[in-house]
């Protein structure tokens, strides 16, 4: 008998089908235009709307990747920001040319915050194995992402910040550090997990001599499961 779907699984399926339908409709309309169909204003707005819905649905799906982890609040915030940004983008598409004051600033701010939450959620979801080094790298990456986001928002709302002597260089440096550490951290997590697994046979021999001894692989698995559920190892096994 098939297991009933959880609310999270249902939400993920909704996001996936929204992405598929949105991009499929946009692709079909683009093909029709290239074949000679009339691209009127309404049609262009429909295509823009489907692309917006598909793109933000993808961002919300990425933010939802941490819903089963202790970092769930970040995913919830990311989904809320993505949804609000999507609604604002759709409103701008259909309200043109009567755009309100600061419409562009609000739009780019929403895109910036959505991108930051998506990047951070994917990073946390991809880095399952965490030791002292990886915790430090994760913290540093999130700090770089937060600083980059703040500087980008400052440049959106303040022209004077862009004209600063060292602002552009500082933004570039922090952005590079955020991207580099964001790529290195999950890769290093995979490598360190494999290294621990390769050392498991030696520890298995020790455990054969002492069957009541907890090996490092089992301990790491217990710690990972405890972090996923947001409890301590002692609470998990009792």
């Amino acid at each position: 008998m098939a297991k009933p779907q959880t609310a999270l699984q249902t939400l993920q399926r909704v996001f996936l089908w929204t992405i598929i339908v949105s991009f499929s409709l946009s692709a079909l309309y683009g093909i029709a235009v290239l074949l000679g169909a009339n691209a009127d204003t309404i049609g262009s707005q429909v295509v823009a709307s489907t692309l917006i819905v598909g793109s933000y649905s993808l961002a919300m799906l990425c933010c939802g990747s941490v819903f089963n982890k202790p970092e769930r609040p970040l995913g919830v915030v990311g989904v809320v920001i993505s949804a609000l940004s999507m609604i604002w983008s759709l409103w701008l598409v259909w309200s043109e040319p009567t755009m309100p004051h600061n419409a562009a600033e609000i739009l780019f701010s929403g895109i910036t915050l959505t991108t930051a939450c998506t990047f951070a959620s994917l990073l946390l979801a991809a880095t399952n194995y965490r030791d002292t080094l990886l915790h430090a790298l994760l913290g540093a990456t999130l700090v770089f992402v937060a600083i980059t986001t703040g500087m980008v928002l400052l440049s959106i709302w303040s022209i004077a910040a862009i004209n600063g002597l060292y602002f552009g260089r500082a933004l570039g440096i922090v952005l590079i550090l955020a991207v580099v550490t964001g790529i290195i951290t999950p890769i290093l997590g995979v490598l360190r997990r494999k290294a621990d697994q390769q050392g498991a046979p030696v520890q298995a021999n020790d455990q054969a001599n002492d069957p009541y001894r907890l090996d490092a692989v089992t301990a790491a698995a217990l710690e990972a499961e405890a972090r996923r559920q947001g409890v301590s190892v002692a609470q998990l096994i009792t």
Side-chain angles (χ1 to χ4, degrees), residues 23 39 44 51 71-72 83 95 114 141 164 171-172 182 213 216:
F23 286 120
S44 300
L51 286 174
E71 298 85 7
R72 181 176 181 176
S95 66
T114 298
T141 305
L171 176 58
R213 181 179 179 182

Side-chain angles (χ1 to χ4, degrees), residues 45-60:
Q45 289 174 318
V46 170
V47 173
S49 299
T50 54
L51 286 174
I52 289 170
V53 172
S55 300
Y56 280 108
S57 296
L58 179 60
M60 286 186 274

